[in-house]
Amino acid sequence: MSNHEGQPYCKIGYVFAPNKEQTVIQPSLITKATEQGIGLIRIDPDKPLTEQGPFDCIMHKLYGPDWTQQLQQFSSRNPDVRIIDPPESIERLHNRDSMLEVVSRLKIELNKEKVSVPNQAVVSETELVTRDMAIEELKLRFPLIAKPLEANGSDKSHQMYLIFDNEGLEVLEAPILLQEFVNHGGMIFKVYVAGSSVKCVKRKSLPDISEEKMKSLKGFLPFSQISSNSVDADEEVDLEKTEMPREGFVVELSRALREALGLNLFNFDLIRDAGERDGYLVIDINYLPGYAKLPGYETLLMDFFLNVAKSKAVEEVTSGDELNESVCLQ
């Protein structure tokens, strides 16, 4: 699927932070892309973007005002080059409070499932966190998950705690997001989205905590120290026996999130409420995640790249025919 000169018919420029590139770009993906006529071209972050190319689209995971300005300058000179995804849409996912706001506004038709988010509140002042009545005032119940408000991929943004009582709150520094822990059978469903392509996998998660066990749990536990033993779980989770969410539900939820977020490349964490069989909660959303950890991830991304290429080809045809229709990736 290359042109008559053997060159790729769609050139996709990509750029990541140095420690993130290998989580998506692997030799196996580059090889498969080349075989399909897709050129994956590394963008040098140390050189001006306007001096690189040509590209048909740009896939990026760099942050900061300098990079955003470079994208704006490049787009003004190359309006036909698609940016995947717009920085202003990605920015919403850098705040754990705003990232989940879209879930309550989703335009989605479901069979029997219900989708929501956990009760949560942002605490902006450390003094409020440590007051005895703080949790009651925030209308939250223990146990809580404490997450840094900023979700920018840094080590600090991944420092999370399970909080069992007011004493456990003392370890926290504001601003922070407090989210009610929901029993979910010790299983989390990670849904990877690449345009209209979707893949859902199941992973072990935090074990359930009964009201009886809460009486003996004190203070806090960092996520890195949480296990079935640390909270005295009743039974070990059987990964194989856990039922996956209905495929049609996952696909429809992914479509609705993609449209609401204005993003093509992301994943989200989904849990099934242990107290409501068809109740699901979205608890986290990440931009351009580590697709490479998925078995066969190359096929997922190649389907997306080929759709991008087809959209580009149609745009060129309609432009040549002087049509005013806009072609969007489905």
Side-chain angles (χ1 to χ4, degrees):
M1 297 181 68
S2 301
N3 64 21
H4 66 282
E5 296 178 346
Q7 297 296 316
Y9 79 96
C10 183
K11 297 179 180 179
I12 300 178
Y14 67 87
V15 61
F16 295 81
N19 62 334
K20 298 296 183 181
E21 183 174 317
Q22 73 278 6
T23 66
V24 177
I25 306 298
Q26 292 282 320
S28 57
L29 179 64
I30 295 175
T31 298
K32 192 157 189 171
T34 302
E35 292 172 351
Q36 296 292 317
I38 305 293
L40 293 176
I41 304 167
R42 185 179 185 276
I43 295 171
D44 189 341
D46 296 323
K47 295 181 180 179
L49 182 58
T50 52
E51 297 177 7
Q52 302 183 65
F55 307 115
D56 293 302
C57 76
I58 290 176
M59 177 175 63
H60 66 104
K61 193 173 184 179
L62 277 184
Y63 306 127
D66 178 65
W67 173 246
T68 300
Q69 184 179 27
Q70 286 204 56
L71 277 178
Q72 292 172 342
Q73 291 175 347
F74 183 90
S75 294
S76 65
R77 297 185 187 184
N78 305 275
D80 294 333
V81 177
R82 185 174 176 186
I83 305 299
I84 303 173
D85 280 300
E88 58 273 18
S89 298
I90 299 171
E91 184 66 27
R92 176 186 295 168
L93 300 189
H94 290 172
N95 182 296
R96 285 196 167 93
D97 186 33
S98 63
M99 76 163 58
L100 297 181
E101 288 178 352
V102 299
V103 177
S104 60
R105 302 195 301 268
L106 290 180
K107 297 179 180 179
I108 182 171
E109 294 184 7
L110 299 175
N111 183 10
K112 54 184 178 179
E113 297 88 353
K114 299 177 182 178
V115 180
S116 61
V117 299
N119 293 330
Q120 61 182 36
V122 174
V123 178
S124 56
E125 298 179 12
T126 301
E127 292 75 15
L128 178 60
V129 181
T130 56
R131 281 170 41 202
D132 289 343
M133 295 300 293
I135 297 306
E136 287 76 6
E137 291 173 5
L138 294 172
K139 298 181 179 179
L140 297 176
R141 294 179 59 190
F142 291 112
L144 298 170
I145 296 176
K147 307 178 179 182
L149 187 59
E150 191 173 16
N152 57 7
S154 66
D155 290 342
K156 185 177 180 180
S157 70
H158 293 296
Q159 293 176 358
M160 304 184 194
Y161 300 89
L162 191 55
I163 308 295
F164 303 114
D165 52 28
N166 281 305
E167 183 179 340
L169 293 171
E170 295 178 4
V171 71
L172 305 179
E173 293 183 6
I176 199 150
L177 179 77
L178 297 177
Q179 190 178 81
E180 283 188 0
F181 176 79
V182 177
N183 283 332
H184 53 284
M187 189 68 61
I188 190 170
F189 304 102
K190 303 187 80 69
V191 183
Y192 291 80
V193 180
S196 58
S197 300
V198 178
K199 187 174 181 65
C200 178
V201 295
K202 51 187 174 182
R203 297 283 186 267
K204 289 186 178 181
S205 179
L206 303 180
D208 287 352
I209 304 174
S210 67
E211 291 186 12
E212 186 65 27
K213 287 170 188 164
M214 272 297 294
K215 297 176 182 178
S216 62
L217 294 170
K218 303 296 181 183
F220 69 93
L221 275 176
F223 267 32
S224 59
Q225 297 178 18
I226 296 175
S227 66
S228 297
N229 292 331
S230 62
V231 295
D232 192 24
D234 288 331
E235 58 184 38
E236 193 69 23
V237 175
D238 191 328
L239 190 66
E240 295 301 320
K241 291 183 179 179
T242 299
E243 180 183 356
M244 294 286 284
R246 186 173 60 87
E247 182 179 358
F249 160 64
V250 173
V251 170
E252 177 63 13
L253 177 57
S254 300
R255 178 204 61 77
L257 278 172
R258 191 175 83 242
E259 293 180 357
L261 293 168
L263 298 172
N264 287 284
L265 298 173
F266 63 96
N267 79 339
F268 60 95
D269 292 344
L270 187 69
I271 59 174
R272 182 189 290 128
D273 190 339
E276 184 178 2
R277 173 165 176 75
D278 295 314
Y280 290 86
L281 300 97
V282 177
I283 60 173
D284 200 17
I285 308 174
N286 302 286
Y287 179 66
L288 227 174
Y291 289 99
K293 67 183 67 173
L294 282 173
Y297 90 102
E298 299 89 348
T299 300
L300 179 75
L301 287 184
M302 278 308 306
D303 287 345
F304 173 66
F305 293 156
L306 290 172
N307 276 332
V308 171
K310 290 175 184 176
S311 295
K312 181 68 176 177
V314 173
E315 287 174 357
E316 291 174 351
V317 170
T318 56
S319 177
D321 292 340
E322 296 183 349
L323 295 177
N324 293 322
E325 300 177 40
S326 62
V327 179
C328 301
L329 175 66
Q330 300 299 315

